Structures are given as C-alpha cells and as structure tokens.
C-alpha cells in the first residue's frame, strides 16, 4: 500500500469511526435512557444489580451458543422480518456507508479478503454478545415491571428491547450469513 492510499485509508477510517460513534450514541441514548429512568425510580437497587450480573454473565457464552440460537440458516428469513431495512439506520449501516461514499466513492464497507471476513465475523459475535446481554437485562426488567403492574413501562421496555437488542442480534446473524457466503465464494 503506497503512502497516498494509506493516508486515504486513515481519513476514511476516521470519518467512519466518527459517523458510527454518532449513530451508536444516538441509539444508545434513545434506548437506555428509559430503562435507566425506570430502574432509578421504580426498582430496588439490589434487584437491578442482580439483573445486571445475570445479564453480564452471558458475555462469556461460547460462539456455539449464538450459532445455536440463530434464527435461520439463510438470509431469506432475515429479509422477511425487515432486518435489511433496519440495517439502514445502524452503525456501519447503509446511511453511514452512503455518507462515506459521497466523500470517498471507491469506499467499500466489506473487503473480501479472508482476514477481513474473519475480522468482521469475530466482530459480529462481539456485537451479538453485547446486545444479548442487554436484551436479557431488558427482559428481566420488563418481567419485573409486569409483576409490579407497571404495564405501560413494560410495554415501553418491550418495544425498546425489540428495536435496540432483538433486531441488532438478528442483524449480526444476517451479516454472518452474508460474510460466510462471501467467504465460500472467495475460496
């Protein structure tokens, strides 16, 4: 890689990181603020800590677990439930990639080298583990809200959990399937 290409690569990476951080901050603030308010105002601190600890433990689950809970073996089920549409609004999604391509028309979000595919595959598991842990925390908190008869809160937390965790989990599974099919074509 020559110096000009390396400088372009660093510029692209810096812009991509900035855009992805903004998307991540937006979705996290929008989604985590309500659960923070619920936990702070209506939940016992000890119970909240127990839920956090249980949820945190799921980060140590092996990849096999996440492969087992995968929704489908092909991308068709993910397309049917709108994961592809959802990808427009996420970090490293269609809107962000489009913004980067406006400045750098030859930009590719995914390079088809084996090392690039393997790195992205690993990243999908990290993202899925994060969202699964947060999903479990939301689910436990929603269950608590139902038990305590906070039905509006339970509905709000259920909707947020679907958007902030369930769809991102499905998105990581969808991306893995696409990467694996790309990797097979490259071999």
């Amino acid at each position: 890689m020559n110096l000009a290409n390396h400088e372009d690569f660093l510029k692209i990476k810096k812009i991509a990181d900035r855009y992805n951080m903004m998307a991540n901050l937006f979705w996290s603030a929008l989604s985590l603020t309500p659960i923070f308010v619920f936990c702070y105002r209506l939940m016992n601190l000890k119970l909240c800590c127990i839920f956090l600890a249980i949820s945190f433990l799921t980060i140590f689950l092996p990849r096999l677990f996440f492969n087992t809970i995968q929704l489908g073996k092909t991308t068709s089920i993910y397309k049917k439930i709108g994961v592809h549409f959802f990808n427009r609004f996420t970090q490293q999604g269609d809107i962000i990639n489009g913004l980067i391509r406006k400045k750098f028309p030859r930009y590719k979000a995914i390079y088809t080298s084996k090392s690039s595919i393997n790195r992205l595959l690993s990243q999908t598991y990290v993202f899925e583990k994060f969202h699964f842990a947060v999903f479990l925390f939301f689910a436990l908190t929603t269950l608590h809200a139902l038990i305590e008869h906070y039905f509006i809160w339970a509905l709000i937390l259920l909707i947020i959990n679907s958007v902030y965790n369930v769809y991102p989990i499905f998105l990581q599974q969808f991306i893995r399937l696409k990467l694996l099919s790309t990797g097979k074509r490259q071999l």
Side-chain angles (χ1 to χ4, degrees):
M1 177 183 300
N2 66 36
L3 187 58
N5 286 344
H6 183 68
E7 287 176 8
D8 280 348
F9 173 79
L10 292 177
K11 285 181 192 175
I12 293 169
K13 182 170 177 7
K14 187 176 181 179
I15 290 170
D17 289 347
R18 188 175 302 133
Y19 288 167
N20 287 318
M21 180 187 63
M22 289 169 39
N24 192 10
L25 286 173
F26 171 77
W27 286 113
S28 294
L30 189 66
S31 300
L32 297 178
T33 299
I35 199 163
F36 174 79
V37 169
F38 177 82
C39 291
Y40 182 76
R41 295 174 85 203
L42 301 170
M43 201 167 154
N44 177 305
L45 178 62
K46 184 177 179 182
L47 185 60
C48 186
C49 290
I50 291 169
F51 287 175
L52 280 170
I54 292 168
S55 301
F56 178 74
L57 289 175
T58 64
I59 290 175
F60 299 105
L61 291 170
R63 287 182 175 186
L64 179 61
F65 171 80
F66 294 97
N67 292 338
T68 304
I69 65 165
Q70 188 153 326
L71 185 62
K73 301 294 181 203
T74 66
T75 59
S76 63
I77 184 73
Y78 297 96
K79 289 178 182 177
K80 286 179 185 174
I81 63 170
V83 171
H84 195 268
F85 172 78
F86 178 81
N87 188 40
R88 292 180 187 169
F89 307 102
T90 62
Q91 63 181 354
Q92 301 172 351
D94 298 340
I95 292 173
I96 289 174
N97 290 334
L99 290 171
I100 296 168
R101 279 191 199 98
K102 281 185 180 180
K103 293 183 180 189
F104 300 94
R106 295 187 323 213
Y107 169 73
K108 289 184 178 186
I110 298 174
Y111 295 93
T112 56
S113 70
K114 189 171 182 167
S115 64
S116 178
I117 290 172
N118 287 338
R119 183 178 48 78
L120 290 170
L121 279 170
S122 293
Q123 186 181 55
T124 65
Y125 285 107
V126 171
F127 288 169
E128 187 172 4
K129 285 181 177 191
F130 168 78
H131 282 288
F132 189 80
V134 178
F135 162 80
L136 185 57
F137 181 73
F138 266 82
L140 292 169
T141 305
T142 302
L143 182 60
H144 173 72
L146 285 171
I147 290 169
E148 295 296 322
H149 304 289
Y150 297 121
F151 299 119
I152 300 297
W153 273 107
L155 180 62
I156 290 168
L157 295 175
L158 181 67
I159 291 168
I160 293 170
N161 201 11
S162 297
V163 173
Y164 188 68
N165 295 307
V166 174
Y167 265 84
I169 288 168
F170 291 158
L171 178 61
Q172 299 314 309
Q173 295 172 0
F174 174 76
I175 291 169
R176 261 198 311 277
L177 289 171
K178 288 181 71 172
L179 286 171
L180 289 171
S181 70
T182 300
K184 287 177 186 172
R185 286 195 305 264
Q186 295 303 315
L187 298 176

